[in-house]
């Protein structure tokens, strides 16, 4: 697995990743439509429900404009499952060498979860991962913590996707950090909104996040 991959470049360009949990397969299409209408073109679909893999297949096959990845990958077996379902990248909550090796064997771009200097060291040096998930971002100290642990490794230019407590109130704060490649948030398409079929609110949340990203770029 190379340090630079096309999908991580695309995620860095789009900046926004909606973290989505889908309980019913028929919700997958509506969520994608709402996110794309709002200007969010990347999704991490978590493997926390029985219908997650089926939903992943739908998104990957029917929505070519959506960069779709799989999250909550905690076993090597899940790597095969999500690659076969069409995932373009993978994310885990922690640092698991067996999962990283499985991702490397299947050529799946992967962002392991890190929170400590030791985890950052292992991911960056031993596993050669330049892109990592900073999780849980806010409860571990937010950007102040991230900037503290990254300093000794700054010359290696690691990049992070913060998740956990990232929302519309602190979104700009994270996006202006030089170490942040993109941000992930469940608030854009919250599970409760999906369960209630509130596609308009998901579209509104996506549009608001996209407008903020565009304003920062401008």
């Amino acid at each position: 697995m190379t340090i630079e991959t096309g999908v991580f470049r695309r995620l860095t360009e789009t900046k926004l990743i909606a973290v989505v949990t889908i309980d019913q397969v028929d919700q997958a299409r509506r969520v994608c439509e709402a996110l794309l209408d709002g200007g969010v073109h990347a999704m991490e679909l978590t493997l926390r429900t029985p219908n997650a893999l089926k939903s992943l297949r739908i998104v990957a096959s029917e929505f070519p404009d959506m960069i779709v990845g799989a999250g909550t990958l905690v076993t090597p077996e899940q790597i095969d499952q999500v690659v076969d379902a069409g995932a373009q990248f993978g994310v885990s909550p922690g640092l698991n060498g067996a999962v990283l090796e499985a991702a490397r064997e299947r050529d799946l771009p992967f962002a392991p979860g890190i929170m400590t200097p030791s985890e950052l060291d292992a991911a960056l040096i031993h596993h050669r991962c330049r892109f990592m998930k900073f999780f849980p971002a806010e409860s571990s100290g937010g950007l102040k913590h991230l900037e503290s642990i990254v300093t000794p490794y700054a010359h290696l230019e690691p990049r992070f996707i913060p998740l956990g407590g990232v929302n519309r109130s602190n979104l700009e704060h994270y996006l202006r950090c030089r170490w942040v490649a993109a941000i992930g948030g469940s608030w854009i398409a919250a599970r409760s909104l999906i369960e209630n079929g509130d596609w308009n609110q998901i579209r509104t949340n996506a549009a608001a996040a996209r407008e903020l990203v565009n304003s920062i770029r401008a």
Side-chain angles (χ1 to χ4, degrees):
M1 183 163 45
T2 59
I3 288 179
E4 291 284 3
T5 61
V7 71
F8 282 128
R9 282 195 296 271
R10 292 171 63 198
L11 291 175
T12 300
E13 291 168 358
T14 192
K15 292 296 183 188
L16 292 170
I17 305 170
V19 180
V20 176
T21 300
I22 295 177
D23 292 283
Q24 305 299 326
V25 175
D26 58 0
Q27 297 167 340
R29 294 181 180 88
R30 300 299 301 273
V31 172
C32 275
E33 290 168 354
L35 289 173
L36 290 170
D37 286 347
V40 173
H41 292 259
M43 170 196 295
E44 176 200 324
L45 204 161
T46 67
L47 257 66
R48 302 178 192 171
T49 69
N51 286 319
L53 282 173
K54 293 179 181 178
S55 300
L56 178 59
R57 289 190 185 93
I58 289 173
V59 176
S61 63
E62 298 184 18
F63 295 87
D65 291 336
M66 179 65 73
I67 307 167
V68 60
T72 322
L73 301 180
V74 295
T75 69
E77 292 76 18
Q78 288 177 314
I79 299 296
D80 285 330
Q81 292 172 348
V82 301
V83 170
D84 293 342
Q88 298 174 53
F89 66 96
V91 180
S92 63
L95 182 65
N96 185 316
V99 173
L100 280 168
E101 183 58 33
R104 182 173 291 108
E105 290 176 357
R106 291 301 305 267
D107 199 27
L108 178 69
F110 201 89
I114 68 96
M115 190 183 69
T116 68
S118 295
E119 292 167 344
L120 172 56
D121 189 285
L124 186 62
I125 307 300
H126 181 68
H127 295 291
R128 305 192 306 280
C129 296
R130 186 184 176 210
F131 288 82
M132 288 153 277
K133 172 180 177 177
F134 174 47
F135 177 82
E138 280 293 282
S139 64
S140 68
L143 277 182
K144 184 176 181 180
H145 177 69
L146 176 62
E147 290 169 349
S148 295
I149 66 173
V150 78
T151 297
Y153 304 93
H155 61 292
L156 299 175
E157 298 186 349
R159 292 294 182 266
F160 301 91
I161 303 170
L163 291 99
V166 180
N167 53 50
R168 72 184 75 196
S169 66
N170 57 23
L171 178 64
E172 181 175 359
H173 185 53
Y174 278 97
L175 285 174
R176 290 191 182 279
C177 175
R178 62 174 293 195
W179 307 115
V180 171
I183 64 95
S186 57
W187 62 272
I188 299 174
R191 193 171 187 174
S192 59
L193 294 176
I194 297 173
E195 289 175 345
N196 294 330
D198 198 344
W199 316 118
N200 286 333
Q201 187 60 55
I202 293 174
R203 187 178 298 107
T204 297
N205 291 345
R210 174 53 60 197
E211 183 179 3
L212 180 55
V213 169
N214 291 344
S215 69
I216 293 173
R217 287 173 171 167

